[in-house]
Amino acid sequence: MALWFPYLPTERILRGRLGRSWRAGWREPRPPLVVSRHENNAQRIAAVEEDAAGLGLRRGMGLADARAMHPEIEVVEADDAADRQLLESLADWCDRYTPLVALDGADGLFLDIAGCAHLFGGEQAMLEDALKRLSQQGFRARAGLASTPGMAWAAARFLDPVPVAPGEERATLMPLPLAALRLEPAARAGLESVGLRTVGAIVDAPRAPLARRFGAGVILRLDQALGEVEEAVSPRLPVAALSVERHLPEPVVRSEDVERLVFLLAGTLKEDMERRGEGARFLQLSLFRVDGAVRRLGVGASRPLREPALVLKLFRERLSAIGELEADCGFELVRLSALETARIAPEQANLAGGNGADETDLAMFADRVRARLGEGALAIPRPVESHIPERAVALMPYGGLATGAAPRPVPRERPIRLLPQAEPIDVFMAEVPEGPPRQFRWRRVLYRVARAEGPERIAPEWWLGGRQEEPTRDYFRIEDEEGRRYWLYRQGLYDATADMPRWYLHGLFA
């Protein structure tokens, strides 16, 4: 199914001024509205509203000519970003019909509804339902439904909203103008200049001369519309592995009602996941409001889960974190989707009767914290393939490890606290140039060394070209006379360069 919004920019402006149901309400007299854009050193009309189109105003017309014809018109500057945002929100709303929704230029959408039409009473009923709901939201949309995207695109712009039956594409396209094939402007102008103005004029024409003179795009678009070349619809959002939904006879507003629906949907989703032997790693709750707005909430799981009570716990934390749901007139459709799934291996209980409940409870606690405070609320260290201490460990979200296990330990002894940035120190009375210091001053305090161990030489990774010039470091584990332990290093080697080596304190031991 293809949807076309010929007056989208002006409808965005009027909906902002008069409300979403501005078409159904009482209309006061007002001047026709047009949207302008600066093109080729001139102000031209980029979009018109329906009433302005009836006065003979059209896209591409010079603004001066339009004012000469109708001095009373209202002109608003184009806002492509706002139009794009509105089109994306319409794509979110169309998710109620199918998860396979793709953007089509600046004013259209493609919906792959294969296998979905029967849920709405058939193809014709789906078309009528979509156009009716869009009209209630203030949009004058046109729809086309066919077995190919190209034919659906042409039907939305040049035919009545009636599905084109499979096999009737050729006969339906024959009387339509060349614009129905989505040709490039230069190719279409070239065809029209030699008298080829309809699709029927080129359907049976020799293809080699057409491609040689007007480009291979003409043949490609024709074959795509006829279904002889497959054209894929790339959805803008990932498609869920499993999804369940419920259409509500009466909209719900309260968070308690939403939580109850989450529990019921999770029970249905559990049955599907049990048959597949899987559990959900990431769940998304989609709430479709009566006025067309869509709210999506997602929660992640460290371990695959499918128990409705556990799913409800995560979404309860998420709902508590966001506060008000902004239900407005209420939600009429609720959908629970498992965007990421993983296998759940059978677990053997141990001799004491347990089966890793402690690990499960810890994972659920972490998931609830992340659901309430965000994915970055909990982090764990992960080893990185680098010898440099500040680059040897990276923090990642708790659920980022597929197995949920702790990272492997660093083989050598490292301080319990590593400073964010090594701090320079003053060193006195080193035993030998390559040995540890006898005294050092850090943060204006003098420390006397009682014991020392080292050096541990750490050189930059030679295989990383941009870091070859970093100085070599010699690390020492130092204990002062009061038993405090430090991690010092000397940066640079004696006699290697003209500059003298510098000393730094990098960490503190327990």
Side-chain angles (χ1 to χ4, degrees), residues 462-477:
W462 58 266
W463 55 91
L464 300 178
R467 297 173 180 170
Q468 290 183 4
E469 298 182 359
E470 293 186 15
T472 300
R473 302 179 184 180
D474 283 345
Y475 279 86
F476 294 88
R477 289 184 288 276

PDB file of all heavy atoms in Angstrom, residues 462-477:
ATOM      1  N   TRP A 462      53.425  -1.214  19.163  1.00  0.00           N
ATOM      2  CA  TRP A 462      54.158  -0.839  17.959  1.00  0.00           C
ATOM      3  C   TRP A 462      53.325  -1.051  16.700  1.00  0.00           C
ATOM      4  O   TRP A 462      53.574  -0.433  15.665  1.00  0.00           O
ATOM      5  CB  TRP A 462      55.455  -1.657  17.854  1.00  0.00           C
ATOM      6  CG  TRP A 462      55.231  -3.145  17.846  1.00  0.00           C
ATOM      7  CD1 TRP A 462      55.255  -3.971  18.914  1.00  0.00           C
ATOM      8  CD2 TRP A 462      54.945  -3.964  16.708  1.00  0.00           C
ATOM      9  NE1 TRP A 462      54.990  -5.258  18.547  1.00  0.00           N
ATOM     10  CE2 TRP A 462      54.796  -5.288  17.180  1.00  0.00           C
ATOM     11  CE3 TRP A 462      54.793  -3.727  15.340  1.00  0.00           C
ATOM     12  CZ2 TRP A 462      54.500  -6.351  16.340  1.00  0.00           C
ATOM     13  CZ3 TRP A 462      54.502  -4.789  14.500  1.00  0.00           C
ATOM     14  CH2 TRP A 462      54.357  -6.082  15.005  1.00  0.00           C
ATOM     15  N   TRP A 463      52.313  -1.917  16.803  1.00  0.00           N
ATOM     16  CA  TRP A 463      51.515  -2.199  15.602  1.00  0.00           C
ATOM     17  C   TRP A 463      50.453  -1.121  15.343  1.00  0.00           C
ATOM     18  O   TRP A 463      49.784  -1.160  14.324  1.00  0.00           O
ATOM     19  CB  TRP A 463      50.820  -3.552  15.739  1.00  0.00           C
ATOM     20  CG  TRP A 463      49.968  -3.694  16.965  1.00  0.00           C
ATOM     21  CD1 TRP A 463      48.641  -3.408  17.072  1.00  0.00           C
ATOM     22  CD2 TRP A 463      50.385  -4.162  18.237  1.00  0.00           C
ATOM     23  NE1 TRP A 463      48.201  -3.655  18.336  1.00  0.00           N
ATOM     24  CE2 TRP A 463      49.253  -4.130  19.081  1.00  0.00           C
ATOM     25  CE3 TRP A 463      51.603  -4.600  18.751  1.00  0.00           C
ATOM     26  CZ2 TRP A 463      49.311  -4.533  20.419  1.00  0.00           C
ATOM     27  CZ3 TRP A 463      51.640  -4.996  20.075  1.00  0.00           C
ATOM     28  CH2 TRP A 463      50.519  -4.960  20.898  1.00  0.00           C
ATOM     29  N   LEU A 464      50.301  -0.180  16.270  1.00  0.00           N
ATOM     30  CA  LEU A 464      49.402   0.947  16.055  1.00  0.00           C
ATOM     31  C   LEU A 464      50.238   2.131  15.612  1.00  0.00           C
ATOM     32  O   LEU A 464      50.962   2.720  16.405  1.00  0.00           O
ATOM     33  CB  LEU A 464      48.633   1.273  17.335  1.00  0.00           C
ATOM     34  CG  LEU A 464      47.751   0.135  17.889  1.00  0.00           C
ATOM     35  CD1 LEU A 464      47.073   0.570  19.179  1.00  0.00           C
ATOM     36  CD2 LEU A 464      46.722  -0.304  16.867  1.00  0.00           C
ATOM     37  N   GLY A 465      50.145   2.465  14.358  1.00  0.00           N
ATOM     38  CA  GLY A 465      51.055   3.438  13.774  1.00  0.00           C
ATOM     39  C   GLY A 465      51.032   4.796  14.443  1.00  0.00           C
ATOM     40  O   GLY A 465      52.053   5.432  14.623  1.00  0.00           O
ATOM     41  N   GLY A 466      49.833   5.257  14.887  1.00  0.00           N
ATOM     42  CA  GLY A 466      49.750   6.595  15.451  1.00  0.00           C
ATOM     43  C   GLY A 466      50.326   6.718  16.839  1.00  0.00           C
ATOM     44  O   GLY A 466      50.448   7.820  17.367  1.00  0.00           O
ATOM     45  N   ARG A 467      50.707   5.566  17.511  1.00  0.00           N
ATOM     46  CA  ARG A 467      51.174   5.621  18.888  1.00  0.00           C
ATOM     47  C   ARG A 467      52.633   5.191  19.024  1.00  0.00           C
ATOM     48  O   ARG A 467      53.106   4.901  20.107  1.00  0.00           O
ATOM     49  CB  ARG A 467      50.290   4.736  19.766  1.00  0.00           C
ATOM     50  CG  ARG A 467      48.830   5.212  19.807  1.00  0.00           C
ATOM     51  CD  ARG A 467      47.949   4.218  20.536  1.00  0.00           C
ATOM     52  NE  ARG A 467      46.567   4.679  20.571  1.00  0.00           N
ATOM     53  CZ  ARG A 467      45.543   3.937  20.967  1.00  0.00           C
ATOM     54  NH1 ARG A 467      45.757   2.696  21.375  1.00  0.00           N
ATOM     55  NH2 ARG A 467      44.321   4.404  20.972  1.00  0.00           N
ATOM     56  N   GLN A 468      53.348   5.099  17.959  1.00  0.00           N
ATOM     57  CA  GLN A 468      54.721   4.635  18.034  1.00  0.00           C
ATOM     58  C   GLN A 468      55.624   5.622  18.752  1.00  0.00           C
ATOM     59  O   GLN A 468      56.644   5.233  19.328  1.00  0.00           O
ATOM     60  CB  GLN A 468      55.256   4.385  16.615  1.00  0.00           C
ATOM     61  CG  GLN A 468      54.613   3.178  15.931  1.00  0.00           C
ATOM     62  CD  GLN A 468      55.221   2.932  14.570  1.00  0.00           C
ATOM     63  OE1 GLN A 468      56.152   3.595  14.175  1.00  0.00           O
ATOM     64  NE2 GLN A 468      54.686   1.964  13.848  1.00  0.00           N
ATOM     65  N   GLU A 469      55.289   6.907  18.739  1.00  0.00           N
ATOM     66  CA  GLU A 469      56.164   7.917  19.311  1.00  0.00           C
ATOM     67  C   GLU A 469      55.908   8.148  20.797  1.00  0.00           C
ATOM     68  O   GLU A 469      56.535   8.999  21.405  1.00  0.00           O
ATOM     69  CB  GLU A 469      55.991   9.232  18.539  1.00  0.00           C
ATOM     70  CG  GLU A 469      56.389   9.121  17.066  1.00  0.00           C
ATOM     71  CD  GLU A 469      56.253  10.432  16.343  1.00  0.00           C
ATOM     72  OE1 GLU A 469      55.827  11.412  16.993  1.00  0.00           O
ATOM     73  OE2 GLU A 469      56.572  10.497  15.149  1.00  0.00           O
ATOM     74  N   GLU A 470      54.973   7.418  21.419  1.00  0.00           N
ATOM     75  CA  GLU A 470      54.752   7.565  22.851  1.00  0.00           C
ATOM     76  C   GLU A 470      55.956   7.022  23.608  1.00  0.00           C
ATOM     77  O   GLU A 470      56.490   5.969  23.273  1.00  0.00           O
ATOM     78  CB  GLU A 470      53.483   6.819  23.274  1.00  0.00           C
ATOM     79  CG  GLU A 470      52.202   7.423  22.717  1.00  0.00           C
ATOM     80  CD  GLU A 470      50.982   6.740  23.292  1.00  0.00           C
ATOM     81  OE1 GLU A 470      51.129   6.023  24.308  1.00  0.00           O
ATOM     82  OE2 GLU A 470      49.895   6.920  22.726  1.00  0.00           O
ATOM     83  N   PRO A 471      56.375   7.710  24.684  1.00  0.00           N
ATOM     84  CA  PRO A 471      57.554   7.248  25.451  1.00  0.00           C
ATOM     85  C   PRO A 471      57.276   5.929  26.165  1.00  0.00           C
ATOM     86  O   PRO A 471      56.148   5.612  26.529  1.00  0.00           O
ATOM     87  CB  PRO A 471      57.801   8.386  26.444  1.00  0.00           C
ATOM     88  CG  PRO A 471      57.058   9.559  25.897  1.00  0.00           C
ATOM     89  CD  PRO A 471      55.885   9.002  25.155  1.00  0.00           C
ATOM     90  N   THR A 472      58.344   5.179  26.389  1.00  0.00           N
ATOM     91  CA  THR A 472      58.264   3.948  27.161  1.00  0.00           C
ATOM     92  C   THR A 472      58.103   4.282  28.644  1.00  0.00           C
ATOM     93  O   THR A 472      58.643   5.275  29.140  1.00  0.00           O
ATOM     94  CB  THR A 472      59.525   3.108  26.935  1.00  0.00           C
ATOM     95  OG1 THR A 472      59.615   2.797  25.547  1.00  0.00           O
ATOM     96  CG2 THR A 472      59.486   1.825  27.738  1.00  0.00           C
ATOM     97  N   ARG A 473      57.357   3.439  29.362  1.00  0.00           N
ATOM     98  CA  ARG A 473      57.128   3.661  30.783  1.00  0.00           C
ATOM     99  C   ARG A 473      57.749   2.517  31.599  1.00  0.00           C
ATOM    100  O   ARG A 473      57.614   1.348  31.222  1.00  0.00           O
ATOM    101  CB  ARG A 473      55.632   3.730  31.087  1.00  0.00           C
ATOM    102  CG  ARG A 473      54.868   4.812  30.339  1.00  0.00           C
ATOM    103  CD  ARG A 473      53.393   4.766  30.688  1.00  0.00           C
ATOM    104  NE  ARG A 473      52.612   5.716  29.919  1.00  0.00           N
ATOM    105  CZ  ARG A 473      51.293   5.865  30.032  1.00  0.00           C
ATOM    106  NH1 ARG A 473      50.624   5.112  30.901  1.00  0.00           N
ATOM    107  NH2 ARG A 473      50.644   6.743  29.290  1.00  0.00           N
ATOM    108  N   ASP A 474      58.383   2.861  32.721  1.00  0.00           N
ATOM    109  CA  ASP A 474      58.875   1.892  33.699  1.00  0.00           C
ATOM    110  C   ASP A 474      58.083   2.088  34.992  1.00  0.00           C
ATOM    111  O   ASP A 474      58.207   3.128  35.654  1.00  0.00           O
ATOM    112  CB  ASP A 474      60.368   2.093  33.967  1.00  0.00           C
ATOM    113  CG  ASP A 474      61.227   1.529  32.853  1.00  0.00           C
ATOM    114  OD1 ASP A 474      60.695   0.765  32.046  1.00  0.00           O
ATOM    115  OD2 ASP A 474      62.424   1.876  32.788  1.00  0.00           O
ATOM    116  N   TYR A 475      57.239   1.092  35.344  1.00  0.00           N
ATOM    117  CA  TYR A 475      56.362   1.185  36.511  1.00  0.00           C
ATOM    118  C   TYR A 475      57.028   0.555  37.734  1.00  0.00           C
ATOM    119  O   TYR A 475      57.693  -0.489  37.637  1.00  0.00           O
ATOM    120  CB  TYR A 475      55.028   0.478  36.234  1.00  0.00           C
ATOM    121  CG  TYR A 475      54.043   1.315  35.448  1.00  0.00           C
ATOM    122  CD1 TYR A 475      54.080   1.342  34.055  1.00  0.00           C
ATOM    123  CD2 TYR A 475      53.087   2.080  36.101  1.00  0.00           C
ATOM    124  CE1 TYR A 475      53.174   2.105  33.328  1.00  0.00           C
ATOM    125  CE2 TYR A 475      52.184   2.851  35.388  1.00  0.00           C
ATOM    126  CZ  TYR A 475      52.227   2.855  34.013  1.00  0.00           C
ATOM    127  OH  TYR A 475      51.332   3.623  33.299  1.00  0.00           O
ATOM    128  N   PHE A 476      56.807   1.169  38.917  1.00  0.00           N
ATOM    129  CA  PHE A 476      57.325   0.669  40.199  1.00  0.00           C
ATOM    130  C   PHE A 476      56.169   0.623  41.197  1.00  0.00           C
ATOM    131  O   PHE A 476      55.337   1.546  41.260  1.00  0.00           O
ATOM    132  CB  PHE A 476      58.429   1.582  40.748  1.00  0.00           C
ATOM    133  CG  PHE A 476      59.670   1.601  39.910  1.00  0.00           C
ATOM    134  CD1 PHE A 476      59.801   2.496  38.849  1.00  0.00           C
ATOM    135  CD2 PHE A 476      60.722   0.730  40.178  1.00  0.00           C
ATOM    136  CE1 PHE A 476      60.953   2.521  38.086  1.00  0.00           C
ATOM    137  CE2 PHE A 476      61.879   0.753  39.409  1.00  0.00           C
ATOM    138  CZ  PHE A 476      61.986   1.642  38.354  1.00  0.00           C
ATOM    139  N   ARG A 477      56.127  -0.451  41.980  1.00  0.00           N
ATOM    140  CA  ARG A 477      55.216  -0.541  43.119  1.00  0.00           C
ATOM    141  C   ARG A 477      55.992  -0.058  44.348  1.00  0.00           C
ATOM    142  O   ARG A 477      56.995  -0.679  44.752  1.00  0.00           O
ATOM    143  CB  ARG A 477      54.701  -1.958  43.290  1.00  0.00           C
ATOM    144  CG  ARG A 477      53.725  -2.364  42.191  1.00  0.00           C
ATOM    145  CD  ARG A 477      53.156  -3.748  42.430  1.00  0.00           C
ATOM    146  NE  ARG A 477      54.165  -4.776  42.193  1.00  0.00           N
ATOM    147  CZ  ARG A 477      54.460  -5.270  40.993  1.00  0.00           C
ATOM    148  NH1 ARG A 477      53.831  -4.821  39.922  1.00  0.00           N
ATOM    149  NH2 ARG A 477      55.381  -6.202  40.861  1.00  0.00           N
TER     150      ARG A 477
END
